[in-house]
Amino acid sequence: MGNIRAAVTGLEAWVPEYKLTNHELAEMVDTSDEWIMQRVGIKERRILKGEGLGTSHLGAMAVQSLLEKNGIAPDTIELLVCATVTPDMFFPATANIISDKCGITNAFSFDIGAACSGFIYALQTAASYIEAGHIKRAIVVGADKMSSITDYTDRTTCPLFGDAGGAVLLEPSDDENGIVDFLFRTDGSGKKHLHMKAGGSVRPASHETVDAREHFVYQEGQSVFKFAVSNMADISIELMGRNSLSPEDIAWLVPHQANLRIIDAVGRRMGVPAEKVMVNIEKYGNTTAATIPLCLHDYRDRIKRGDNIILSAFGGGFTWGAVYLKWSLG
Ligand code: UT7
């Protein structure tokens, strides 16, 4: 890595108003508030309602407030990367649509598809352009309208997901704070445990695929659970080790929010005490690419400038990874 560090200099998130509660879900499928709270730790999730509103709306709402609250002129943004598995459409990229909605006209923009690891992959991608000195101002968005690919007749997946968007501003750091290091991995053989069966080029949409309900998240929960715990924890431990960080040196662990039991197990395996682990899954569920910026946003007032933070994620692919950053916002 070169001498320039990329720093998070702005942070915003946006969730829709509608709250889908466990009690409402229990009227739709054979489930209960007790089961969902015990097994997953989710109380409610936000759902984006409204004709013609997709993931770009979630992302654009976050980006719009990022620009306004930081007094940033849209035409000074040089890059916008959006992580999502629920793009508005196959093409153009949702990043392009968000840029257009927010008046960002001097940037190049593209999407990154790495499921629940999408935000950290996108963050490091944008950071690399800054570290290389190519650009000075980027926006990284994590946004997913998971309700658009959730089967509300399947009790094994429908309690899990929600809709949200988060966005960060990235600029060259003028001190030692910023993104320090990262470690990412993928294992495509994990596809069988977590995927969407149809709608892509292998199995394009047809009456048959719609009738078979193949345009929704398919997940073998128990297998994914085991891989999530070990891979998120072990890659974070490896990243901390090579940066000579012990759990005491870490101010915050920000894990992807898929299941409270996964979050707790990752913290324990890493030796990071619960009070240093960010958790907001109860309010929003798993919002895929949005969980990490949404979590940072919820905890924003408690994070101090210079804090050592580990972001850690695991998702479909399989994809997983961890990012080490020193917080730049005061
Ligand atoms: O973000 C991307 C990565 N995704 C993840 O990290 C998710 C990883 N997986 C998980 O979080 C968990 O595996 C789930 C939350 C998906 C499921 O929890 P689990 O403790 O692994 O449950 P299970 O699949 O082993 O199912 C246990 C029982 C089953 O009944 P039987 O076979 O024991 O009679 C299920 O049919 O719970 C039943 N069940 C439910 N019962 C009430 C499954 N879903 C529900 C439900 N309500 N919603």
Side-chain angles (χ1 to χ4, degrees):
M1 238 172 255
N3 296 326
I4 305 172
R5 247 175 212 176
V8 172
T9 53
L11 164 68
E12 290 299 328
W14 190 82
V15 291
E17 255 177 52
Y18 187 84
K19 292 177 184 170
L20 176 60
T21 63
N22 290 347
H23 297 292
E24 198 177 341
L25 276 173
E27 288 166 14
M28 296 155 69
V29 291
D30 181 14
T31 191
S32 64
D33 177 56
E34 193 190 3
W35 190 94
I36 301 170
M37 282 304 288
Q38 266 178 15
R39 297 290 185 115
V40 208
I42 301 171
K43 198 84 193 158
E44 60 193 28
R45 57 298 283 146
R46 301 299 182 99
I47 304 295
L48 180 61
K49 305 251 181 185
E51 197 62 35
L53 297 181
T55 294
S56 70
H57 183 73
L58 299 163
M61 293 301 279
V63 171
Q64 199 65 51
S65 94
L66 186 71
L67 294 171
E68 282 167 19
K69 289 193 181 155
N70 291 283
I72 303 285
D75 61 2
T76 64
I77 303 298
E78 295 162 277
L79 166 65
L80 187 143
V81 187
C82 177
T84 188
V85 283
T86 52
D88 281 18
M89 46 189 69
F90 258 134
F91 69 91
T94 299
N96 306 158
I97 302 169
I98 294 172
S99 292
D100 181 50
K101 285 184 172 173
C102 298
I104 295 170
T105 51
N106 282 332
F108 66 109
S109 56
F110 57 88
D111 287 356
I112 282 189
C116 299
S117 308
F119 180 77
I120 58 171
Y121 278 35
L123 183 71
Q124 185 54 50
T125 301
S128 299
Y129 284 95
I130 289 175
E131 288 159 4
H134 296 309
I135 61 165
K136 289 202 158 43
R137 199 167 256 182
I139 288 179
V140 181
V141 179
D144 269 302
K145 185 183 170 185
M146 291 305 292
S147 60
S148 67
I149 57 166
T150 298
D151 183 351
Y152 288 99
T153 67
D154 173 14
R155 72 172 183 169
T156 69
T157 52
C158 75
L160 307 178
F161 300 106
D163 303 338
V168 298
L169 187 66
L170 271 190
E171 294 176 292
S173 175
D174 46 21
D175 56 23
E176 56 150 20
N177 294 327
I179 295 170
V180 183
D181 200 5
F182 73 99
L183 263 172
F184 295 156
R185 295 277 187 281
T186 56
D187 177 3
S189 70
K191 180 189 79 173
K192 58 181 176 291
H193 301 297
L194 181 52
H195 58 265
M196 190 192 293
K197 297 199 177 300
S201 55
V202 168
R203 197 161 159 73
S206 66
H207 289 293
E208 193 190 333
T209 63
V210 171
D211 290 345
R213 309 189 74 78
E214 291 180 351
H215 295 270
F216 298 115
V217 175
Y218 168 83
Q219 176 170 254
E220 292 161 10
Q222 281 190 8
S223 308
V224 179
F225 189 108
K226 285 182 211 139
F227 284 112
V229 172
S230 53
N231 285 326
M232 272 166 82
D234 292 353
I235 206 156
S236 303
I237 290 166
E238 190 181 340
L239 182 67
M240 284 164 61
R242 78 176 191 188
N243 286 280
S244 306
L245 293 170
S246 67
E248 293 73 46
D249 300 318
I250 299 300
W252 295 104
L253 169 66
V254 193
H256 168 57
Q257 311 278 304
N259 185 320
L260 185 57
R261 289 185 296 139
I262 296 178
I263 296 167
D264 289 344
V266 168
R268 274 198 305 276
R269 194 168 165 127
M270 290 175 63
V272 175
E275 60 271 18
K276 291 183 174 185
V277 182
M278 291 192 190
V279 183
N280 67 357
I281 188 171
E282 185 168 329
K283 293 193 287 179
Y284 308 113
N286 181 351
T287 57
T288 303
T291 60
I292 288 179
L294 189 57
C295 230
L296 286 167
H297 189 256
D298 272 14
Y299 278 77
R300 189 186 165 139
D301 293 344
R302 295 168 62 185
I303 316 174
K304 292 196 284 294
R305 191 175 163 81
D307 273 357
N308 286 324
I309 299 180
I310 300 287
L311 314 177
S312 184
F314 179 88
F318 292 137
T319 58
W320 67 100
V323 171
Y324 164 38
L325 69 151
K326 294 176 84 67
W327 196 241
S328 307
L329 292 168

